[in-house]
Amino acid sequence: MDSRVEIDEDTENDKGSMWVLDQKLDQPMDEEAGRLKNMYREKKFSALLLLRLAFQSLGVVYGDLGTSPLYVFYNTFPSGVVDDPEDVVGALSLIIYSLTLIPLLKYVFVVCRANDNGQGGTFALYSLLCRHAKINTIPNQHRTDEELTTYVRSTFHERSFAAKTKRWLERYALRKNALLILVLVGTCMVIGDGILTPAISVLSAVGGIQVEHPQLSNEVVVIIAVIILVGLFSMQHYGTDRVGWLFAPIVLLWFLLIGGIGIYNIRKYESSVLKAFSPVHIFRYFKRRGKDGWTSLGGILLSITGTEALFADLSHFPVSAIQVAFTVVVFPCLLLAYAGQAAFIMNNKTNVVDAFYRSIPESIYWPVFLVATAAAIVASQATISATFSIIKQALALGCFPRVKVVHTSKKFLGQIYVPDINWILMILCIAVTAGFKNQSQIGNAYGTAVVIVMLVTTFLMILIMLLVWRCHWILVLIFTALSLLVECTYLFAVLFKVDQGGWVPLVIAAAFLLVMYVWHYGTVKRYEFEMHSKVSMAWVLGLGPSLGLVRVPGIGLVYTELASGVPHIFSHFITNLPAIHSVVIFVCVKYLPVYTVPEDERFLVKRIGPKNFHMFRCVARYGYKDLHKKDDDFEKKLFDSLFLFVRLESMMEGCSDSDEYSLYGQLTQQSRDGLLDNNGNSISSNLDPTISSVDSIVPVKSPLNVNNTVSSSGQGSAQTEIDELEFLNSCRDAGVVHILGNTVVRARRDSKFYRKIAINYIYAFLRKICRENSVIFNVPHESLLNVGQVFFV
């Protein structure tokens, strides 16, 4: 066995030894670390496996983008084609080049490469940036976190443009907050997509009934759509694991059908629509239509909806599979579908509203209708799943109130269900569907949400290209110019339709942004208060081994958000109660800007004070994809890490005569004359090895590899180890009590009125309705002890 031990210095209060418990078996540390890092890089797949993954990605990634032909032309020409039929060719040309520039070039071949170890979405980009610059607004990271195998980041020269960008971002807190708000805006718009996509997709698909049964009113169509939506959201708790295998065949069949129907319509009606591949027709379109052509871009924009979901749902497939699926199936089939509809509309100017269904050959109408409805449901499911995923990421990074997160699959970690969010989405989705009753207004709302998310991604990608990829500034400028040219054009177009439904995502996003920012603001202020009020180690040492109290048998797990220092809750507890447990462990559960933390690197254990105090700290680290689920193994793993720490600590002391196994690692001299202070005086005789402030990383071999000749001090350390392990086991058998702070956060009296509203009312309300920490940590009620506190921030 080969283990790595890190001795860490707490720069302020604590003194002790922190040991990174990540055991690596049968391989040297450097080779194993390299192997683990390579596991998270994109692999080269065989051609057959790549095709299979590309096929599976169709059902998860491309459902939303694939159902856009149901409603694009209707939203582009809501009043029909009243003027020149060449307007249809111009609109088709805009669709072709929008699909080429945004989904194909920008997302599939550029943005998807900016994934965080396979994870996509707004928060994945933000996490990637947080690892390359100190922009995290909650400063709870430690340098040992950077040793994680999943904490992958690039390095750059101090004089490089990337280093200058990094310093520019880190210099002022205002810039960090502005970046966070930008990320939260993008997240809120993705949540808006989760509401609007099911509404417009299902309503558009069900609307095909009216083509064959025109006597049906819009109210009946809306009722059918609402019934399907209720069923869709009600089935979310089952997850997609059981029916997910159906998604890919349905979507593949859908793409083949719309592509085939497109070819049929081009041949039957107007093959001249293919001249739309010339961008000249875009110029002519705007010249003929003027302002109407400009506002019609809101409908053209819907042809690229689902592009952001493509990036958000990236986690289950390699980028190469996404690229193959899009270039081989999705892109050509979409072009054929839009060209076929354009050919039909040029010969049927009054049938723009239901152009898709009227262009279907009569003999296959009902099969296509059924597949369209199924594809709309699959598209809605993909967007809902992406919403759950991004809520989970926001929750992990302290930007969303604590809500219940349920894993729906034992095979796939990313398949989750958030009950509270699910019902909120359902209510809002039904309200949008029943309130607007037509595709046009929902389309206007949908377009607003989509273009804002794309702009957020563009701004984040600029920083990714500078900090992470270290691209030349000319390449960054080209990417920025092309992206902003297209997206800002669409943004200005949808702003004309704010009063025609475009206000809906803005209101939804504003509500979620208020909730998320206030929650994050309160979390940061609470953390800052705890940091400033943590207890001095000198005060703890002055209490003596008994802490001035009666030490009763048992182990007390004191939960805190601090990864260093003794929290204020501890002094509050021992001030008001005359007893404390024989062993006290401060437990900090924190999330890092990585998508996952491997199990064998999860726990950091540290001793606080001398050995006879029996005080430890355990930091449990999670990534934003990990779930601190209802797991009885958590407590067991915590104690296993603690026992391993004690054994390693004793082994280090017992081998202190050896240069290779010294507690002080690189600072140990070849002779045994002792350590020297800054003045050259020996300090080894006075130094307590349990109160170390030396930073070093040293290898610790298995006792089987240690020389059989052990000094008397080594034998004494071994006996001390046995005694302490027996003591810890007896305390564990006596009982474990979980001590949590029941904190009330209030604004100070001299605070400004907006801070009082944010803290005393909004944040307090969110704290009241969100889940308790005891539920999140799965603490049994019979062993729970709440300690009340009031923080004035």
Side-chain angles (χ1 to χ4, degrees):
M1 182 181 75
D2 201 22
S3 296
R4 181 157 57 92
V5 179
E6 180 159 332
I7 304 166
D8 172 68
E9 176 186 4
D10 187 338
T11 56
E12 288 191 324
N13 294 325
D14 295 353
K15 293 181 185 273
S17 301
M18 181 176 283
W19 306 60
V20 181
L21 304 177
D22 52 333
Q23 302 178 52
K24 316 294 182 191
L25 303 178
D26 301 325
Q27 291 189 9
M29 179 187 66
D30 292 339
E31 293 180 12
E32 179 67 9
R35 184 183 70 82
L36 286 173
K37 286 183 179 180
N38 288 332
M39 286 173 58
Y40 299 102
R41 296 175 183 170
E42 185 178 351
K43 300 177 181 178
K44 293 182 179 179
F45 298 92
S46 67
L48 187 61
L49 178 59
L50 184 63
L51 290 175
R52 192 180 78 181
L53 291 171
F55 166 70
Q56 292 174 348
S57 71
L58 289 172
V60 176
V61 176
Y62 292 112
D64 190 6
L65 192 64
T67 54
S68 297
L70 289 170
Y71 44 78
V72 168
F73 276 108
Y74 168 54
N75 284 275
T76 304
F77 302 104
S79 302
V81 181
V82 294
D83 297 321
D84 194 337
E86 286 294 311
D87 289 347
V88 179
V89 177
L92 177 61
S93 187
L94 280 167
I95 292 171
I96 291 171
Y97 284 97
S98 295
L99 284 170
T100 303
L101 290 174
I102 302 299
L104 180 64
L105 296 181
K106 178 185 174 182
Y107 276 86
V108 173
F109 287 105
V110 179
V111 175
C112 283
R113 291 182 57 243
N115 61 85
D116 183 14
N117 286 302
Q119 308 299 315
T122 309
F123 266 104
L125 294 179
Y126 182 64
S127 298
L128 199 57
L129 290 172
C130 285
R131 296 207 299 272
H132 288 79
K134 296 177 181 178
I135 56 176
N136 199 339
T137 52
I138 302 180
N140 65 344
Q141 286 185 233
H142 191 271
R143 63 179 183 80
T144 54
D145 299 333
E146 299 175 7
E147 301 295 328
L148 290 170
T149 52
T150 52
Y151 202 99
V152 181
R153 62 175 182 171
S154 57
T155 56
F156 37 77
H157 194 273
E158 284 299 315
R159 294 184 179 179
S160 64
F161 193 74
K164 294 177 182 178
T165 305
K166 177 177 179 290
R167 288 192 294 269
W168 182 83
L169 274 176
E170 295 174 347
R171 187 170 296 127
Y172 299 109
L174 180 63
R175 292 169 185 169
K176 300 178 185 179
N177 287 327
L179 183 60
L180 175 67
I181 291 174
L182 181 69
V183 172
L184 294 182
V185 168
T187 303
C188 294
M189 288 300 172
V190 171
I191 296 173
D193 284 351
I195 295 167
L196 296 170
T197 298
I200 192 170
S201 298
V202 174
L203 187 61
S204 300
V206 174
I209 298 178
Q210 289 180 304
V211 174
E212 288 293 310
H213 299 282
Q215 71 276 12
L216 290 177
S217 64
N218 286 335
E219 285 73 16
V220 175
V221 173
V222 170
I223 291 173
I224 295 173
V226 168
I227 292 172
I228 293 175
L229 290 172
V230 171
L232 174 64
F233 283 101
S234 300
M235 298 294 288
Q236 290 300 311
H237 67 282
Y238 292 110
T240 59
D241 198 23
R242 297 180 181 178
V243 296
W245 61 273
L246 281 172
F247 288 176
I250 289 172
V251 177
L252 177 61
L253 179 59
W254 168 251
F255 277 118
L256 294 177
L257 281 173
I258 62 175
I261 293 170
I263 295 173
Y264 169 82
N265 287 326
I266 292 171
R267 294 186 60 182
K268 181 179 179 180
Y269 294 106
E270 191 67 61
S271 60
S272 64
V273 294
L274 297 179
K275 63 186 178 182
F277 282 90
S278 170
V280 174
H281 293 278
I282 296 177
F283 172 76
R284 293 174 180 172
Y285 177 78
F286 286 121
K287 185 178 180 180
R288 280 193 305 269
R289 300 202 67 193
K291 183 180 177 181
D292 290 339
W294 184 266
T295 56
S296 70
L297 286 176
I300 303 291
L301 173 63
L302 298 181
S303 65
I304 55 176
T305 57
T307 305
E308 191 63 34
L310 176 156
F311 182 48
D313 288 326
L314 189 65
S315 58
H316 294 307
F317 304 98
V319 174
S320 54
I322 300 289
Q323 293 172 339
V324 168
F326 189 84
T327 53
V328 174
V329 178
V330 178
F331 188 62
C333 287
L334 284 176
L335 293 184
L336 289 171
Y338 287 119
Q341 281 193 58
F344 172 82
I345 293 171
M346 289 184 71
N347 284 268
N348 301 272
K349 298 178 184 179
T350 58
N351 292 330
V352 177
V353 175
D354 42 20
F356 174 79
Y357 281 111
R358 291 193 179 277
S359 66
I360 299 172
E362 189 174 351
S363 58
I364 61 170
Y365 177 84
W366 287 111
V368 173
F369 171 79
L370 294 175
V371 174
T373 305
I377 293 172
V378 171
S380 304
Q381 177 61 58
T383 311
I384 295 168
S385 298
T387 305
F388 291 159
S389 179
I390 204 163
I391 290 290
K392 172 66 177 68
Q393 294 178 25
L395 175 66
L397 296 175
C399 296
F400 203 86
R402 295 185 298 269
V403 291
K404 184 178 182 179
V405 178
V406 180
H407 269 282
T408 59
S409 173
K410 295 181 180 179
K411 297 178 182 179
F412 304 106
L413 186 64
Q415 292 186 7
I416 58 175
Y417 166 63
V418 186
D420 301 329
I421 300 300
N422 181 68
W423 303 123
I424 291 174
L425 292 180
M426 186 188 78
I427 292 170
L428 293 176
C429 185
I430 292 173
V432 168
T433 306
F436 286 142
K437 297 182 182 180
N438 69 78
Q439 302 171 27
S440 180
Q441 289 182 313
I442 300 177
N444 295 338
Y446 196 15
T448 306
V450 167
V451 73
I452 292 176
V453 175
M454 289 180 178
L455 281 168
V456 170
T457 301
T458 297
F459 290 129
L460 293 178
M461 278 301 302
I462 294 170
L463 295 176
I464 292 289
M465 295 176 78
L466 292 173
L467 280 177
V468 183
W469 293 351
R470 291 169 291 166
C471 296
H472 195 279
W473 65 270
I474 294 179
L475 292 177
V476 179
L477 187 62
I478 293 172
F479 172 83
T480 305
L482 288 176
S483 298
L484 293 183
L485 175 65
V486 177
E487 291 161 8
C488 289
T489 301
Y490 279 125
L491 176 64
F492 294 136
V494 298
L495 290 179
F496 282 105
K497 298 187 177 182
V498 169
D499 61 335
Q500 301 173 36
W503 57 271
V504 172
L506 299 179
V507 172
I508 293 172
F512 276 97
L513 179 63
L514 179 66
V515 168
M516 295 173 76
Y517 189 77
V518 169
W519 180 265
H520 182 75
Y521 177 78
T523 302
V524 170
K525 290 301 177 184
R526 192 175 77 246
Y527 182 84
E528 290 176 350
F529 183 90
E530 290 200 43
M531 281 291 294
H532 293 143
S533 62
K534 61 184 181 180
V535 180
S536 166
M537 194 63 196
W539 181 78
V540 176
L541 293 174
L543 297 176
S546 68
L547 300 177
L549 304 167
V550 177
R551 302 294 292 264
V552 297
I555 295 179
L557 300 181
V558 182
Y559 288 83
T560 174
E561 294 184 8
L562 298 182
S564 64
V566 178
H568 181 264
I569 182 180
F570 180 71
S571 64
H572 187 67
F573 180 82
I574 65 176
T575 301
N576 291 277
L577 290 175
I580 192 66
H581 300 88
S582 300
V583 177
V584 177
I585 304 174
F586 297 103
V587 180
C588 171
V589 177
K590 71 174 182 177
Y591 286 86
L592 301 177
V594 295
Y595 81 99
T596 187
V597 176
E599 284 285 344
D600 58 351
E601 299 179 68
R602 176 143 294 157
F603 293 95
L604 293 176
V605 178
K606 179 176 184 176
R607 185 185 294 278
I608 299 178
K611 281 189 175 181
N612 55 359
F613 276 55
H614 301 299
M615 295 173 64
F616 303 89
R617 176 188 322 287
C618 178
V619 180
R621 304 175 295 181
Y622 291 85
Y624 56 79
K625 277 287 187 180
D626 295 328
L627 182 66
H628 188 77
K629 53 187 175 182
K630 293 185 176 181
D631 184 8
D632 296 333
D633 290 339
F634 177 78
E635 190 175 302
K636 177 181 179 298
K637 290 173 184 175
L638 187 152
F639 286 118
D640 287 345
S641 300
L642 176 62
F643 295 153
L644 179 58
F645 164 77
V646 172
R647 287 195 295 270
L648 290 174
E649 181 186 46
S650 177
M651 185 163 53
M652 292 286 282
E653 295 172 16
C655 300
S656 60
D657 287 342
S658 166
D659 180 44
E660 185 178 3
Y661 304 105
S662 168
L663 178 65
Y664 306 108
Q666 302 161 351
L667 297 181
T668 301
Q669 299 178 4
Q670 293 293 335
S671 66
R672 283 177 262 171
D673 293 335
L675 294 172
L676 301 178
D677 61 16
N678 293 331
N679 298 319
N681 300 317
S682 175
I683 59 173
S684 61
S685 59
N686 300 322
L687 185 60
D688 184 344
T690 65
I691 310 179
S692 169
S693 61
V694 181
D695 292 331
S696 64
I697 300 177
V698 294
V700 178
K701 305 291 184 182
S702 169
L704 296 175
N705 298 325
V706 180
N707 194 296
N708 292 329
T709 305
V710 182
S711 65
S712 59
S713 63
Q715 295 174 354
S717 298
Q719 184 61 43
T720 302
E721 172 201 336
I722 295 172
D723 293 342
E724 185 164 20
L725 289 175
E726 290 179 351
F727 176 74
L728 290 173
N729 272 314
S730 64
C731 290
R732 184 182 181 183
D733 294 337
V736 178
V737 175
H738 301 258
I739 303 171
L740 278 78
N742 188 10
T743 308
V744 176
V745 181
R746 305 289 293 176
R748 293 193 301 267
R749 291 184 178 179
D750 58 344
S751 299
K752 295 181 179 179
F753 77 95
Y754 59 82
R755 177 178 290 187
K756 290 181 180 180
I757 293 174
I759 296 295
N760 295 347
Y761 297 98
I762 302 176
Y763 183 71
F765 173 74
L766 294 174
R767 292 264 297 180
K768 186 179 295 185
I769 64 173
C770 74
R771 305 190 88 206
E772 295 289 340
N773 272 326
S774 58
V775 179
I776 298 292
F777 298 144
N778 192 32
V779 176
H781 289 288
E782 61 272 13
S783 60
L784 172 64
L785 179 61
N786 274 314
V787 179
Q789 299 179 101
V790 179
F791 288 172
F792 288 95
V793 298

